[in-house]
Amino acid sequence: MMTEPRLLSECGPKLIVDDTEGDRYEVEIEPGDFLVVRAGATVDKPTALFTHPNIVASARVIHEFRHYRRNGSTFWTARAGVDHYFVIPRNAIKLLPEKGYSWIPAEINGVKVKFNVSGGGDGSVWTDYLFTHTCIAVNHQVKDLTKLAEVAVRNSRLEPIAVKPMDADQEARWQELSRSRG
């Protein structure tokens, strides 16, 4: 069972975070030396305008947010935003000894993040899957993105990052959302 933070570079292909009988939590990890971490911001936040030489790509996007009502139902909203991409060495990322259930808790250069990943289980074992390309929550503070950029690298074999451009309909929707509320 994992009791201390562990560098991602030292984890191997599978990390067992908790091996409690009937409640096992594990993370399967795609091999490699880096993670491409996408950090988003809505256009009304200062991080949407964030720049740094270690950002490998930035792109305008439409962020979709799921909200939960008290009765358990859900609804979605959309916001115009920007995604910034960082290539971060795995030896600069610590996985934390916490169960995430599709949100793997980690720390990068002192910034606590949660990788938004796919996961699932059978009732007794939950497995999250950490791939080379991952993302963290939208709207971190500028100081957090600065800390990520400090440990990010450029000119890795993962560059250039392929960012799909918006089509004409997405561009029109982005413009409308950015005018209406961010």
Side-chain angles (χ1 to χ4, degrees), residues 11-180:
C11 288
K14 183 181 280 192
L15 176 65
I16 299 170
V17 177
D18 186 353
D19 200 12
T20 305
E21 186 175 333
D23 193 24
R24 180 179 171 122
Y25 176 76
E26 59 191 29
V27 178
E28 288 194 17
I29 302 167
E30 184 175 26
D33 296 324
F34 304 97
L35 281 189
V36 176
V37 177
R38 178 170 39 102
T42 54
V43 295
D44 60 329
K45 301 294 183 188
T47 45
L49 301 175
F50 180 74
T51 60
H52 192 281
N54 286 345
I55 294 175
V56 296
S58 293
R60 292 187 304 178
V61 296
I62 297 172
H63 290 128
E64 302 281 346
F65 298 95
R66 181 170 38 179
H67 305 274
Y68 297 89
R69 294 185 177 102
R70 288 188 180 138
N71 68 5
S73 67
T74 61
F75 67 99
W76 292 83
T77 59
R79 307 276 306 271
V82 175
D83 282 347
H84 303 296
Y85 295 80
F86 302 90
V87 176
I88 301 180
R90 291 181 187 221
N91 63 7
I93 300 169
K94 293 179 187 173
L95 296 186
L96 302 178
E98 304 166 19
K99 296 177 182 180
Y101 300 109
S102 297
W103 293 91
I104 299 172
E107 186 176 307
I108 303 170
N109 198 20
V111 177
K112 291 201 176 190
V113 299
K114 291 184 177 182
F115 297 124
N116 183 1
V117 299
S118 295
D122 64 6
S124 63
V125 178
W126 182 278
T127 304
D128 279 333
Y129 301 92
L130 182 58
F131 296 105
T132 299
H133 290 257
T134 189
C135 65
I136 60 174
V138 172
N139 290 333
H140 275 266
Q141 296 180 5
V142 168
K143 68 180 183 176
D144 293 344
L145 294 191
T146 301
K147 297 292 280 180
L148 269 58
E150 287 173 359
V151 296
V153 298
R154 293 300 310 268
N155 303 314
S156 75
R157 64 173 180 74
L158 298 173
E159 286 187 60
I161 301 298
V163 178
K164 184 179 175 189
M166 291 185 178
D167 63 29
D169 290 338
Q170 292 168 322
E171 180 66 34
R173 185 167 181 233
W174 190 93
Q175 291 293 338
E176 178 186 335
L177 289 168
S178 68
R179 284 190 301 272
S180 66

